[in-house]
Amino acid sequence: RKEVEQDPGPFNVPEGATVAFNCTYSNSASQSFFWYRQDCRKEPKLLMSVYSSGNEDGRFTAQLNRASQYISLLIRDSKLSDSATYLCVVNTYGNKLVFGAGTILRVKS
Amino acid sequence: GAVVSQHPSWVICKSGTSVKIECRSLDFQATTMFWYRQFPKQSLMLMATSNEGSKATYEQGVEKDKFLINHASLTLSTLTVTSAHPEDSSFYICSGGQGAADPYEQYFGPGTRLTVT
């Protein structure tokens, strides 16, 4: 079983739609959680950290359920520029990050 | 702030040659640097972690004699792919961390695309 699992997609949505991505992690001792965004042939960029209480940054909302070892990302009012691969990332051992394979989002006009 | 550069951004080499990739933190001191590899349609896989002035710690399955890592200063780490083969063709990305100051935040370089013919 992979340490971090994501639905690879692709999710094809129209502009303005709301889309949700899910992620599960296997190590219950994981301490920190993140969503990164990666554009084609580029490095990953931090989108937001994920906290147990849930957190929001503009159109983006992240949730963490430690009991279920489940992380989610909700994007409201999708823009064309949101098209990218979204990576679920977990800190499991010391300062190491473990990346999921990513979920592809394609927003179409 | 927190900018990391990599050089070269892409390289094509012949099988059997060695390739060196440089990773520099431009505006912060990276006490720890991480090297990742990403094959098409796959996730980033951590290859090794290096702390300035110490030997790198390699992940299971990564050959330390093939992927030589040097972290001689707080702003520079290098990865040398020795005797490269076509299966080493990949996207290599480094990241820098500030260690205890913020143990989980990493700043990624733009990546180096290696093609071995």
Side-chain angles (χ1 to χ4, degrees), chain A residues 31-32 34 36 38-46 49 87 91 93-102 104, chain B residues 32 34 36 38 41-46 49 51 57-59 91 93 99 103-106 108-111 113:
Chain A
Q31 298 185 21
S32 300
F34 310 91
Y36 276 73
Q38 186 175 26
D39 293 289
C40 188
R41 296 178 170 263
K42 300 284 189 182
E43 77 276 21
K45 296 192 175 178
L46 179 64
S49 300
L87 307 173
N91 160 256
Y93 309 108
N95 58 356
K96 295 182 188 178
L97 299 179
V98 179
F99 285 76
I104 298 170
Chain B
T32 306
F34 304 86
Y36 296 84
Q38 186 177 33
K41 299 186 179 180
Q42 295 186 26
S43 62
L44 275 74
M45 296 297 295
L46 181 64
T49 303
N51 292 299
T57 303
Y58 290 80
E59 295 300 301
F91 190 45
I93 307 176
Y104 309 127
E105 186 143 17
Q106 296 181 20
F108 286 84
R113 196 160 298 279

Side-chain angles (χ1 to χ4, degrees), chain B residues 92-112:
Chain B
Y92 291 85
I93 307 176
C94 71
S95 71
Q98 297 186 68
D102 193 344
Y104 309 127
E105 186 143 17
Q106 296 181 20
Y107 307 98
F108 286 84
T112 296

Side-chain angles (χ1 to χ4, degrees), chain B residues 33-91:
Chain B
M33 282 190 171
F34 304 86
W35 286 95
Y36 296 84
R37 181 167 55 180
Q38 186 177 33
F39 292 107
K41 299 186 179 180
Q42 295 186 26
S43 62
L44 275 74
M45 296 297 295
L46 181 64
M47 299 175 67
T49 303
S50 73
N51 292 299
E52 184 261 339
S54 303
K55 287 185 180 179
T57 303
Y58 290 80
E59 295 300 301
Q60 192 173 9
V62 178
E63 299 174 59
K64 62 179 182 181
D65 294 330
K66 180 170 180 62
F67 299 98
L68 302 179
I69 292 172
N70 184 283
H71 191 170
S73 78
L74 287 171
T75 59
L76 174 64
S77 176
T78 60
L79 167 68
T80 301
V81 183
T82 61
S83 187
H85 291 285
E87 58 265 30
D88 298 322
S89 299
S90 188
F91 190 45

